[in-house]
Amino acid sequence: VQLQASGGGLVQAGDSLRLSCDASIRTDSRYTVGWFRQAPGKEREFVAAINFSDGRTQYGDSVKGRFTISRDNDKSTVHLQMNSLISEDSAVYYCAADGDYLPTKYRWWGQGTQVTVSS
């Protein structure tokens, strides 16, 4: 499985940004695609995930109500809409995939995309 993340950039606090992850997986599969982030000196943090079979989603506590994960119905592209960004959201964001249903560990990882939020 190959994953390509894009959409990162430099924004101001309060702005919005949308990340995209192009995944080389079947649109009718049971795969889960997730987003994680890692800031300098911090552990990697779960952000959000979506399962392709039923669209069920999960979110990390720090982003609930501000971030939305979705997928294109006819593509294996997953988006992460990030609203009301704060400086603490600054990190390298990674997308990952796994064949299990909303797993705790992911097998495949893409390269990261940098998100920087200036206050």
Side-chain angles (χ1 to χ4, degrees):
V1 174
Q2 293 183 327
L3 302 153
Q4 181 73 37
S6 62
L10 172 63
V11 297
Q12 294 187 341
D15 285 351
S16 298
L17 197 63
R18 190 174 84 156
L19 305 182
S20 297
C21 177
D22 292 319
S24 64
I25 57 180
R26 291 169 57 98
T27 57
D28 60 349
S29 70
R30 293 186 69 253
Y31 278 66
T32 298
V33 173
W35 285 97
F36 292 77
R37 67 186 183 185
Q38 189 165 20
K42 295 187 176 181
E43 294 187 353
R44 187 170 60 198
E45 178 187 11
F46 170 74
V47 176
I50 186 167
N51 182 266
F52 273 36
S53 64
D54 61 5
R56 183 174 178 182
T57 59
Q58 285 180 330
Y59 293 93
D61 289 340
S62 62
V63 306
K64 284 181 181 177
R66 299 189 299 121
F67 291 12
T68 303
I69 190 170
S70 64
R71 58 161 286 198
D72 291 338
N73 287 332
D74 58 347
K75 299 179 182 179
S76 56
T77 300
V78 173
H79 303 289
L80 183 68
Q81 178 66 42
M82 306 185 293
N83 298 330
S84 302
L85 286 161
I86 58 179
S87 58
E88 289 79 5
D89 295 320
S90 296
V92 177
Y93 284 70
Y94 300 89
C95 61
D98 194 90
D100 285 345
Y101 186 84
L102 298 175
T104 56
K105 293 183 179 181
Y106 286 73
R107 181 175 179 181
W108 295 283
W109 292 82
Q111 93 293 351
T113 185
Q114 177 72 48
V115 172
T116 303
V117 183
S118 64
S119 57

